[in-house]
C-alpha cells in the first residue's frame, strides 16, 4: 500500500467497512483474462476469517470462470465525495480488497449463505426455504485468506 497513513490495520475496522458496502466486485479469471462482476453478498466471520456468500445462475460466465480457477479477488468500497484540499482535490472513501478461494455450496450451507445475504440487506425474516427460485440458484462462498482496508476521510 503506497499511502500507509490511509491503511486500516484493525481487522474489526476492516470488517466494519465491508459490512457497510452494498456491493462487492468479484475478480475472476476468464481463460487467462481478468473478469470483474459486481455481486450482492452476505458475510460471516469463521475461525477469524471472513467468509463471503453470493448467488447467481447455475450456468453462465461467472460459473464457468469459477470452474476454471477458484482463486478470486474481491473489492468493496464506500464513496463519499470529491472535495478540494490545500494540495488539489481528493476523493473521500473507505475500501477493502481481499483474496481467497471460492466454492459452490449446497444443502444447509446454501441456505445459510442465502440467509447471510438477505440479512446483509435488512431482510432477516425472509423465508428462504420457500423461495421459488431456490432450486435454480447457485450459491457460492469465498473464504478470504487476506483482507486489507484503506480510507481517506475528512480530517484523516
Amino acid at each position: 500500500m503506497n499511502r500507509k497513513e490511509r491503511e486500516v490495520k484493525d481487522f474489526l475496522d476492516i470488517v466494519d467497512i465491508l459490512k457497510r458496502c452494498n456491493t462487492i466486485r468479484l475478480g475472476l479469471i476468464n481463460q487467462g483474462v481478468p473478469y470483474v462482476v459486481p455481486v450482492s453478498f452476505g458475510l460471516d466471520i469463521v475461525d477469524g476469517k471472513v467468509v463471503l456468500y453470493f448467488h447467481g445462475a447455475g450456468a453462465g460466465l461467472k460459473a464457468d470462470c469459477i470452474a476454471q480457477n477458484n482463486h478470486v479477488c474481491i473489492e468493496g468500497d464506500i464513496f463519499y465525495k470529491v472535495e478540494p484540499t490545500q494540495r488539489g482535490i481528493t476523493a473521500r472513501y473507505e475500501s477493502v480488497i481481499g483474496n481467497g478461494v471460492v466454492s459452490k455450496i449446497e444443502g444447509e450451507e446454501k441456505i445459510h449463505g442465502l440467509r447471510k445475504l438477505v440479512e446483509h440487506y435488512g431482510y432477516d425474516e425472509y423465508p428462504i426455504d420457500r423461495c421459488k427460485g431456490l432450486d435454480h440458484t447457485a450459491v457460492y462462498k469465498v473464504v478470504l485468506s487476506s483482507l486489507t482496508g484503506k480510507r481517506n476521510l475528512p480530517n484523516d
Side-chain angles (χ1 to χ4, degrees), residues 17 19 36 64 134:
I17 295 169
K19 285 180 177 179
V36 176
D64 291 346
L134 187 59

Side-chain angles (χ1 to χ4, degrees), residues 33-104:
V33 178
Y35 174 68
V36 176
V37 61
V39 294
S40 302
F41 72 101
L43 66 97
D44 260 340
I45 306 297
V46 179
D47 297 329
K49 291 191 177 200
V50 174
V51 178
L52 302 173
Y53 302 94
F54 65 93
H55 72 299
L61 185 54
K62 184 169 42 180
D64 291 346
C65 291
I66 291 167
Q68 290 174 35
N69 185 337
N70 68 344
H71 294 271
V72 299
C73 179
I74 65 98
E75 185 277 343
D77 57 77
I78 305 163
F79 175 80
Y80 296 105
K81 63 181 175 178
V82 173
E83 66 181 8
T85 68
Q86 291 180 339
R87 298 173 70 193
I89 61 171
T90 192
R92 302 300 185 180
Y93 65 91
E94 296 178 277
S95 65
V96 297
I97 295 178
N99 290 286
V101 174
V102 62
S103 59
K104 188 175 178 182

